[in-house]
Structure formats: structure tokens, C-alpha cells
């Protein structure tokens, strides 16, 4: 049961927020959708799913990215889920980089997180089915994200290359098994067996990708990003892209940091990139 909690006209289309009871996360979830002008049952539009980063909700991208004008022009819907399950009964942590607001887009296997923290199933299966059942969209999907959400977008696309036509990311955590954010999240959500971590690591997934499953990717990274060296590890993905001859375009940008100022500077290019495949 979808409950519409906000509806605002923007760039000729509509930005709407909904809540619903999710079976994958066993709690109420919130998402936002932008429907471009002209979207209707007789004129269905493709969708770009956007996954946000640590501490974010469905609101950060929608309010800060400045994506509506170009998405309206291109006829692309945008869906932004929350970054984790939430609620009084959902386990949390006092630190910003774990727990609520930090689901890391995995299916947790460790108690107490395994009941609610199934963001992988939510983003890959439950949410798209819900969107396609209730809104005027086609089954053509692209996926994009920022930071932790960039990790989610690339990882999910690599694991589901027939479900998405393209993937893009800003400042993604590309090698979470080898950075403090990823190690903390994976050890708590997935346990101490590091073999289980590999299935959620973009570098490892790309190493094992077969040519028939390659899909176009675009990654943009600011060179002034405080997290670049310790957490994001862009150079590790560069190495795999070159080794595999994978169709991923990686752009480094002098002076840009990790913020939505960076995202808003290049979001139009990402939308135009996805439009080529949608």
C-alpha cells in the first residue's frame, strides 16, 4: 500500500514522496520519484534509479542535484530510495558510517541486522516491481549513485547486467573490501568470512565479469575529494577497467570535492549518458 506524503510540481513534471511497508526490509520505507512532463499510461518513460551515500535519505539528491530540468527535457523518471531501513525497532549505531543511513546496499547475514538490512533485495527487486506497477514507466532502467550509493550502483549493475542498461557513479567506494568504511560495514553486516564480502565489491565483480555481461559505465571523481585515497580507491578500479577492457569511462576532475556541488556540476552529463541507452 503506497501512501503519498508530498507532491510538488517542478520543471513541468512532478516530484512525489511515498512511504510503504517493505517486505524485504520488514519496515516502512520511503522513496521519492520525479515524473517528467508527459509521462502517462499511454506515454511511459524509462527510469534512472539513484542511490545516495552515507547519512543521506531520499531527499538529498532530489533537493541538491539540480537534475529535474535535464530529466524533464530527456523524458527520464528518477527514483531515489532511502539509504537504509529505519524505525525504532531497526538496529542502529552511534556513528554515521554504520546502521541507519548506512545500509551499504547489501543483504545482511548477521544478527541483529539480517532482519531489516536487506537493501540489495529492496533496490534490485522490490522497489522496481513497485514502481513499474504503480507509475507510468517502462521496464528500461539505469542506475546511478554517489559515494556509498556509487558503490551500490556499480555493484548492483555488475551483478544484474541484464536488468540495467547502464550505470554511473559520482565518487564511488569502488573497493569496499579494502577501505575502512567497507570493512566496518561488511564485517558487521556479513560477518568475518571475507569470501562473502567479494560478491558486493565492484572491483572483484568486474574482475570476474564476462564480455557478454559488460554494460556501459561512467564514473566521475573529484581530485580534491578528502576521501579519495583512504576510502574511495578509484585507482583500483582504473586498474581493473584497463585489465578487462571494460567499457567504463572514468573522469577525474581537478578541484572538485565529495559534495553535491560536484554532483550538480555534472549531473546533466550523467543523464545524457544514460539517455543513450534508455
Amino acid at each position: 500500500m503506497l501512501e503519498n506524503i508530498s507532491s510538488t510540481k517542478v520543471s513541468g513534471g512532478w516530484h512525489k514522496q511515498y512511504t510503504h511497508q517493505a517486505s524485504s526490509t520488514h519496515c516502512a520505507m520511503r522513496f521519492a520519484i520525479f515524473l517528467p512532463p508527459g509521462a502517462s499510461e499511454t506515454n511511459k518513460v524509462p527510469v534512472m534509479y539513484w542511490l545516495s551515500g552515507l547519512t543521506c535519505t531520499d531527499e538529498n539528491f532530489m533537493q541538491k542535484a539540480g537534475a529535474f530540468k535535464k530529466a524533464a527535457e530527456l523524458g527520464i523518471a528518477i527514483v531515489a530510495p532511502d539509504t537504509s531501513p529505519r524505525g525504532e525497532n531497526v538496529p542502529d549505531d552511534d556513528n554515521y558510517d554504520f546502521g541507519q543511513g548506512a545500509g551499504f546496499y547489501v543483504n545482511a547475514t548477521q544478527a541483529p541486522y539480517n532482519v531489516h538490512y536487506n537493501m540489495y533485495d529492496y533496490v534490485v527487486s522490490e522497489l522496481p516491481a513497485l514502481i513499474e506497477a504503480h507509475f507510468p514507466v517502462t521496464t528500461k532502467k539505469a542506475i546511478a549513485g554517489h559515494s556509498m550509493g556509487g558503490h551500490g550502483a556499480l555493484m548492483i549493475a555488475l551483478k544484474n547486467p541484464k536488468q540495467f542498461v547502464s550505470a554511473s557513479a559520482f565518487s564511488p567506494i569502488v573497493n569496499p573490501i579494502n577501505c575502512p568504511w567497507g570493512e566496518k560495514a561488511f564485517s558487521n553486516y556479513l560477518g568475518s568470512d571475507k569470501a562473502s564480502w567479494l560478491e558486493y565489491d565492484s572491483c572483484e565483480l568486474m574482475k570476474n565479469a564476462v564480455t557478454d555481461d559488460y554494460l556501459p559505465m561512467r564514473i566521475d571523481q573529484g581530485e580534491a575529494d578528502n576521501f579519495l585515497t583512504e576510502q574511495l580507491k578509484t585507482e583500483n578500479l582504473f586498474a581493473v577497467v584497463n585489465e578487462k577492457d571494460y567499457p567504463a569511462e572514468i573522469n577525474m576532475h581537478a578541484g572538485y570535492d565529495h559534495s553535491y556541488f560536484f554532483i550538480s556540476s555534472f549531473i546533466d552529463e550523467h543523464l545524457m549518458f544514460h539517455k543513450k541507452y534508455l
Side-chain angles (χ1 to χ4, degrees), residues 106-110 113-115 117-119 188-190 200:
V106 303
N107 285 340
T109 58
Q110 303 300 299
Y113 306 104
N114 55 337
V115 175
Y117 284 82
N118 297 304
M119 289 300 294
N188 283 286
Y189 291 140
L190 304 174
Y200 295 111

Side-chain angles (χ1 to χ4, degrees), residues 8-124:
T8 308
K9 191 159 189 178
V10 56
S11 296
W14 289 92
H15 169 270
K16 299 183 179 187
Q17 284 178 305
Y18 291 86
T19 60
H20 70 108
Q21 196 67 30
S23 58
S24 53
T25 61
H26 300 96
C27 67
M29 294 292 292
R30 190 175 76 188
F31 68 86
I33 184 169
F34 169 72
L35 291 168
S40 68
E41 283 304 313
T42 56
N43 181 40
K44 294 185 177 184
V45 296
V47 184
M48 183 187 81
Y49 286 82
W50 174 271
L51 307 182
S52 287
L54 291 166
T55 75
C56 292
T57 67
D58 65 288
E59 295 183 344
N60 296 70
F61 177 83
M62 294 301 202
Q63 294 180 2
K64 295 180 179 180
F68 299 137
K69 189 174 181 181
K70 182 57 71 173
E73 176 189 315
L74 298 174
I76 298 173
I78 301 172
V79 173
D82 202 345
T83 54
S84 79
R86 295 183 194 269
E88 288 183 12
N89 298 321
V90 176
D92 200 7
D93 188 86
D94 290 337
N95 296 300
Y96 77 95
D97 56 357
F98 184 73
Q100 294 188 33
F104 268 84
Y105 305 101
V106 303
N107 285 340
T109 58
Q110 303 300 299
Y113 306 104
N114 55 337
V115 175
H116 299 286
Y117 284 82
N118 297 304
M119 289 300 294
Y120 178 85
D121 281 352
Y122 181 72
V123 171
V124 172

